Amino acid sequence: MERSGAAGGWVPMCQSVLPAHANHRGELSAGQLLKWMDATACLAAEKHAGVSCVTASMDDIQFEEAARVGQVITIKAKVNRAFKTSMEVGINVTVQDVLTNVEKIVSVAYATYVVKPVGAEKIELEPVKLLSAEDHLEHALATERKRIRLGYQEVFQNLMQESDKEDTFAEEDAISADLTHVQSIELVQPPHANHHGNTFGGQIMAWMETVASISASRLCRSYPILKSVNMFKFWGPSVVGDRLVFNAIVNNTFQNSVEVGVRVEAYNCEEWIKNQARHINSAFLIFNSVNDRGELVTFPKIKPITKDSVRRYHGAIARKRIRLARKYMLSAKEDKPYDLWEKSNQAYMSYSNIATLTYLAAKTGWEVTSTLNNIRIWTHEDGDVLSLKVEMQVKTASHVAFSLLSNFTYRQQWDKHFLTCEVLQAVSEDDKIYYITSPPPPMTGHQPRDFVILVSRRQPLEPSEPYIVAVKSVTLTSVPPSSEHCRSEILCAGFQIYSDSSSSCRVYYFNQMTSSLMPYLAANLTGSLNSIEDTALECIKFLELKGSKC
């Protein structure tokens, strides 16, 4: 049975922070905030699905600001994309001071919800109705975030294999992790559950935050502050009447932060007597703490003793590496050595590549500077950054154009700016790293240039979506700059390919110019446009010639 999708739009929730919601510092407790976030996101999911939904997972959550008693919390949630029986819901949390009217971002998060079928009925969700440019952006990027979720465990296991080779816990003054173990039991009562009797995911998150905070406090001898959560994942449901057993323990410390792992097991009456647990949830929470002067507290080192504590110790190191990769790669502003982050950043580097091109293509304010036959050229100025967009009408099927343009070893056949091109590394089926050499800009007297680039390609999931080929410079320590070439950088470039018919398509090429090329373009704008048109014509000829043979 199909359910009609609701129109896109935010589902808002506003709450005034009362003393009952706050901790001893007068700040909104993280547990209470997690409950509100889950409730708002669930409302958005059910608005789209038209049936009851349950929390499947909550992606990594970062808390940027604290809300205090008397301030107003606004939580807005909307479905970004529906995947048959699951949905990604985006959550924005802000805090507003009623006296100054200053509003700050508390958190931006993404959660996955699944429909709760009634009986044997199979429910398939309708696509989300996209009403704005922002809707289209989040809809496109939701697919990339899903790829990261699905690939997370593989990345983690690869890093664990590396961490297992390291023995870094021979500290004389280290504290045994067992001293931080905390266990708590909660009975699920009607106020903790929805109208179907299932325990609210947000309530479980709140209980987890409480027990994790107690565990962390045994190390810092002060009141821990939750800064981030490393993905809540729900493995199974719990219902009214279940006993939930929470086990929390410190896995590792990192100078001014500590990771606490929490495992949740559920028992009904019969399982309780027989001691047959159901593992329903696990999460990793990161805390820091401040002293009376507002300075960050340094946590003591942890000494793992048992085989299980050693596993958890190394697991915390692996998760930290993934968090750092996520922080740098998703910002799309840092060019970090690819080798250094190789196993932890592959998915995030690819996401950053696709996201940067998607955001560039969605910008408003493009100005047409040239129109010639089947080619149109736009420019976009944003401060000292100049971006180009070239539209080409091509008499070739879109999937054929995608296959040809995503293989950069063909580029020399139509683009005179490519002298050589070789594949350095096949990161995955859809992501490759190339080494490219290029002639110097004419009339400059400069050296030939070279590039190390990541090319990420994506096929559309829906007919209205484009094929994507995204390009971005990366740094490989195995390919350092040489004296023979001037190492250059591509901030953002690539193609979007839309199908017009079974035998024609529109190809859009984008390039965000680096500051080093700006003076040359400004002095030779007419010549540059002619060169771009010539290259576009060669691209069209290449695609149509190759396409006619397919």
Side-chain angles (χ1 to χ4, degrees):
M1 178 178 179
E2 290 188 345
R3 298 286 178 177
S4 177
W10 294 100
V11 172
M13 175 187 287
C14 290
Q15 296 282 355
S16 181
V17 180
L18 303 175
H21 303 141
N23 57 27
H24 67 285
R25 292 185 298 271
E27 297 174 350
L28 174 64
S29 77
Q32 180 63 63
L33 178 56
L34 289 168
K35 287 171 65 175
W36 288 342
M37 291 171 67
D38 179 62
T40 310
C42 188
L43 288 172
E46 292 183 347
K47 178 184 177 184
H48 177 78
V51 294
S52 295
C53 299
V54 293
T55 316
S57 66
M58 189 84 74
D59 289 3
D60 296 358
I61 305 171
Q62 309 288 328
F63 296 103
E64 307 296 340
E65 289 286 338
R68 303 191 65 83
V69 170
Q71 295 181 325
V72 176
I73 282 284
T74 300
I75 304 172
K76 296 191 292 185
K78 69 174 179 179
V79 176
N80 291 328
R81 188 160 194 153
F83 301 97
K84 290 189 177 180
T85 59
S86 68
M87 294 158 281
E88 182 195 90
V89 180
I91 309 167
N92 282 1
V93 185
T94 58
V95 59
Q96 183 182 36
D97 190 298
V98 296
L99 299 180
T100 64
N101 207 33
V102 173
E103 187 176 58
K104 296 181 179 180
I105 295 174
V106 175
S107 184
V108 176
Y110 299 95
T112 301
Y113 287 80
V114 295
V115 295
K116 182 177 171 59
V118 180
E121 181 184 28
K122 186 177 181 181
I123 298 172
E124 187 167 320
L125 295 166
E126 281 286 304
V128 175
K129 296 177 182 178
L130 308 175
L131 304 181
S132 66
E134 181 188 13
D135 290 344
H136 283 274
L137 272 174
E138 291 298 337
H139 184 261
L141 296 178
T143 305
E144 289 302 302
R145 289 187 287 264
K146 185 178 182 181
R147 289 169 67 102
I148 291 176
R149 293 181 200 110
L150 295 176
Y152 180 91
Q153 196 59 32
E154 180 182 354
V155 173
F156 176 74
Q157 291 300 331
N158 288 337
L159 291 175
M160 280 293 285
Q161 292 175 7
E162 288 185 3
S163 296
D164 287 343
K165 301 172 185 177
E166 302 172 8
D167 226 355
T168 57
F169 39 79
E171 297 279 344
E172 292 184 4
D173 57 346
I175 296 175
S176 170
D178 292 342
L179 297 177
T180 67
H181 177 242
V182 177
Q183 186 178 81
S184 180
I185 301 174
E186 298 285 353
L187 175 64
V188 180
Q189 301 186 49
H192 304 140
N194 61 23
H195 49 292
H196 289 288
N198 288 93
T199 315
F200 282 119
Q203 179 62 68
I204 296 176
M205 294 181 202
W207 280 331
M208 294 174 79
E209 189 272 336
T210 298
V211 71
S213 178
I214 296 171
S215 175
S217 69
R218 293 186 173 178
L219 270 187
C220 61
R221 303 295 181 185
S222 61
Y223 300 101
I225 303 168
L226 182 63
K227 298 304 294 181
S228 64
V229 181
N230 197 97
M231 190 177 288
F232 284 106
K233 188 169 182 64
F234 292 87
W235 300 102
S238 64
V239 297
V240 172
D242 278 351
R243 287 85 172 154
L244 302 187
V245 178
F246 297 80
N247 282 287
I249 193 168
V250 169
N251 293 330
N252 208 336
T253 60
F254 304 99
Q255 184 113 6
N256 301 125
S257 66
V258 56
E259 181 194 277
V260 181
V262 184
R263 178 184 175 93
V264 187
E265 296 174 333
Y267 302 79
N268 60 29
C269 287
E270 185 178 346
E271 293 165 339
W272 188 250
I273 295 171
K274 296 180 179 180
N275 196 30
Q276 296 176 339
R278 287 177 282 122
H279 177 208
I280 64 167
N281 186 270
S282 286
F284 304 93
L285 296 84
I286 295 84
F287 296 85
N288 62 25
S289 185
V290 295
N291 58 26
D292 295 338
R293 298 183 298 277
E295 301 166 336
L296 286 173
V297 171
T298 299
F299 287 89
K301 294 290 185 180
I302 282 292
K303 182 178 182 180
I305 297 175
T306 65
K307 184 177 180 179
D308 187 58
S309 61
V310 170
R311 176 187 61 80
R312 290 186 282 102
Y313 181 95
H314 287 304
I317 296 173
R319 282 183 290 272
K320 183 180 181 183
R321 290 183 65 184
I322 294 174
R323 284 195 299 274
L324 289 174
R326 177 183 183 273
K327 176 181 177 182
Y328 287 112
M329 299 308 162
L330 297 194
S331 69
K333 296 177 182 177
E334 299 288 341
D335 181 25
K336 296 295 176 181
Y338 190 82
D339 281 347
L340 180 62
W341 300 106
E342 186 169 359
K343 289 186 172 62
S344 57
N345 87 330
Q346 287 180 4
Y348 293 118
M349 176 68 86
S350 180
Y351 173 93
S352 173
N353 202 12
I354 297 292
T356 306
L357 179 62
T358 304
Y359 279 113
L360 177 60
K363 283 181 177 291
T364 58
W366 291 93
E367 296 183 359
V368 177
T369 57
S370 176
T371 302
L372 173 68
N373 298 326
N374 295 326
I375 301 169
R376 283 198 295 177
I377 301 175
W378 285 266
T379 59
H380 184 284
E381 292 187 49
D382 186 4
D384 61 349
V385 176
L386 175 67
S387 300
L388 295 177
K389 177 169 73 171
V390 183
E391 178 187 355
M392 297 170 275
Q393 298 286 338
V394 184
K395 295 177 182 178
T396 301
S398 55
H399 70 278
V400 175
F402 170 70
S403 176
L404 294 169
L405 292 175
S406 61
N407 187 341
F408 268 47
T409 58
Y410 292 147
R411 189 75 175 256
Q412 298 156 262
Q413 298 183 36
W414 59 269
D415 190 346
K416 64 182 180 181
H417 301 96
F418 276 51
L419 290 178
T420 63
C421 179
E422 64 174 304
V423 177
L424 293 178
Q425 185 177 340
V427 180
S428 68
E429 184 179 351
D430 292 322
D431 300 276
K432 292 182 180 179
I433 298 177
Y434 292 86
Y435 176 70
I436 295 164
T437 62
S438 176
M443 297 179 296
T444 62
H446 293 166
Q447 286 181 300
R449 295 176 296 162
D450 65 352
F451 304 82
V452 179
I453 60 170
L454 170 67
V455 177
S456 303
R457 65 177 207 164
R458 298 291 186 270
Q459 299 188 49
L461 297 182
E462 299 174 8
S464 61
E465 295 179 341
Y467 291 87
I468 298 176
V469 181
V471 183
K472 185 178 184 179
S473 286
V474 294
T475 302
L476 278 179
T477 54
S478 58
V479 188
S482 70
S483 58
E484 299 176 358
H485 294 88
C486 175
R487 178 61 51 88
S488 299
E489 180 185 8
I490 295 176
L491 295 178
C492 173
F495 301 92
Q496 287 190 340
I497 306 163
Y498 288 87
S499 178
D500 287 334
S501 70
S502 60
S503 59
S504 65
C505 63
R506 279 170 294 128
V507 177
Y508 291 91
Y509 171 72
F510 297 88
N511 196 340
Q512 194 171 64
M513 298 295 178
T514 58
S515 57
S516 62
L517 293 178
M518 293 289 287
Y520 172 75
L521 286 173
N524 301 273
L525 186 57
T526 302
S528 298
L529 291 177
N530 289 336
S531 175
I532 293 168
E533 289 172 351
D534 292 342
T535 303
L537 284 170
E538 290 299 317
C539 181
I540 293 173
K541 290 178 185 177
F542 168 79
L543 293 175
E544 292 181 345
L545 178 62
K546 291 288 186 180
S548 65
K549 298 178 181 179
C550 294

